[in-house]
Amino acid sequence: MQKDGITRRDFMRTSAGATGLALGAKAILLEASPIPNPARPVPANDRVRFGIIGVGMQGSGLLRTSIKLPGVECGAACDLYDGRIELAKEITDNPQLMTSKRYHDLLDNKDLDCIVAAVPDHWHKQIVVDCCSAGKDVYCEKPMTHQVSEGFEMIAAEQKNNRIVQIGSQRRSSIVYLKAKELFDQGVLGDVCLVESGMGRNDPCGAWEYTVPPDLSPETVDWETWLGSAPKRPFDPLRWTRWRCYQDYGEGIPGDLFVHLLTGIHTIAGITAPPERALSAGGLFRWKDGRDVPDVMTTLYEYPNFRAALRVSLNTEAPEYTRLMGTKGLLEIHGNWLSFTPQDGENHEPCTPGWPKKMKADYAEKWEAEHGPKPGTQSVVESTTFFTPPGYSESREHLWNYFQSVRTRKPSVEDATFGNNAAIGCHLANYSYFKKTVAVWDEAAKDIRG
Ligand SMILES: NC(=O)c1ccc[n+]([C@@H]2O[C@H](COP(=O)([O-])OP(=O)(O)OC[C@H]3O[C@@H](n4cnc5c(N)ncnc54)[C@H](O)[C@@H]3O)[C@@H](O)[C@H]2O)c1
């Protein structure tokens, strides 16, 4: 390996000479789940037929991915906008696909085993509760809730009706995060005291300024139903298209983006409760298009054993990262790879800042005799990087996990309790930002207080 004119061996030799430590690097390819070949026929009694509710930006992607999974078929689609009904027929290449603007028609359809729902956040609770009550398993997009109280209703509906509920935060199924979890559980990081995670975007689409479809009108969309439990208002194409910009339907940066970062952190660290406290700062600096949520948000969270700092900006493109800082090393996740670099937490040279020359030299001699590396015994600090295989998709893996749970009744990888803990993390961030106070999770009251 030749980088910037230095071979790895040269680098190791240089490092060893300087500090008694050597640095190296190892790359390992991660293994994805063995999803069977879609071309192989699946017996009829092993097939899963799902109905999709919401065929928008995310729902259309879920639909495309799901119908390519072995033994998974789409039996019906529901949306409130004609354009999306047309899109569902296009994606499934089935002009006869059963479609409806009333999702209850899908819940009444005995030919459907389960539901995939990708509707705006203010509709999640009602659809999950109605699916469970109708005896249908449901995959519901993230963040699980729009309001704190909704999560507990959803958990109750899941448990009472014994349904599979899977929330759609795909990092929960990612082999990158599961490898990080394995390393965390093995203790190779030592005590993890601080976690950082963030990302950034820098274009109108990334800041949720999606283009309004030209035919959008009260004739092509059922606006009254779309509003659901949100305050009544006249038809507004911007609100329909850019709902993430408004607190009536979404939760801004926390609900859209923190939830992914929190899901990753909760997965790795095995978190089974909401964060205890949160303190946010942020602001609306750039996208002053009538939205009522900020475009920069940073939140500090307290968990029992570590603190976490999350940062998202819609004003600067920056790659997503998650960094776990432990007493025995650093673990970093960047998209489809993670790296772990061990640290021994020891001095590698005498620690004598500000000592006079002779005192320093005498101590150094003594220190080297006691601590210096013996020839041939230098420890090699080897950083290991794990990569996903080419073409790996965590979303595909997450959907596959859902349909396998529906088929086999094995527990959901991201049930309503897990989804709720991450969603509460989002609500804590917003509570702190909007009320300008520290937000505290009150477990007894199952609510946030300032
Ligand atoms: N997991 C991810 O990476 C990811 C990515 C994007 C979006 N999402 C989530 O997916 C969900 C949908 O987001 P989107 O960007 O696709 O929104 P979208 O506005 O593009 O699509 C939502 C669709 O749902 C339809 N709809 C709304 N209420 C409905 C109802 N009661 N019955 C039937 N249809 C209804 C709308 O007409 C619209 O076509 C959100 O919860 C969002 O947070 C997740």
Side-chain angles (χ1 to χ4, degrees), residues 53-59 78-81 84 103 118-121 123-124 127 141-143 168 170 225-226 240 243-244 256 260:
I53 305 175
V55 194
M57 183 167 81
Q58 179 68 356
C78 167
D79 202 291
L80 302 176
Y81 165 47
R84 259 75 196 257
Y103 69 80
V119 291
D121 307 347
W123 260 108
H124 289 181
I127 288 183
E141 264 308 334
K142 53 60 27 180
Q170 57 272 28
T225 302
W226 187 89
W240 186 87
W243 56 264
R244 285 169 174 79
D256 200 39
H260 288 300

Side-chain angles (χ1 to χ4, degrees), residues 3-14:
K3 206 181 167 210
D4 301 323
I6 304 174
T7 64
R8 179 179 146 190
R9 184 178 297 171
D10 286 343
F11 184 50
M12 287 175 74
R13 210 182 294 131
T14 311

Side-chain angles (χ1 to χ4, degrees), residues 13 43 58 67 157 167 184 238 249 251 332 335-336 370 384:
R13 210 182 294 131
Q58 179 68 356
I67 57 174
I167 306 306
F184 183 94
L238 281 180
Y249 327 107
E251 309 74 27
E332 294 190 86
N336 63 349
E370 284 171 15
T384 309

Side-chain angles (χ1 to χ4, degrees), residues 61-104:
L62 295 176
L63 181 56
R64 278 192 189 91
T65 305
S66 299
I67 57 174
K68 288 190 200 125
L69 290 170
V72 177
E73 298 169 352
C74 177
C78 167
D79 202 291
L80 302 176
Y81 165 47
D82 293 342
R84 259 75 196 257
I85 298 235
E86 188 185 331
L87 180 61
K89 291 180 177 174
E90 262 172 38
I91 293 171
T92 54
D93 196 19
N94 179 6
Q96 310 309 323
L97 181 72
M98 180 214 155
T99 59
S100 174
K101 285 191 177 174
R102 270 190 79 251
Y103 69 80
H104 287 278

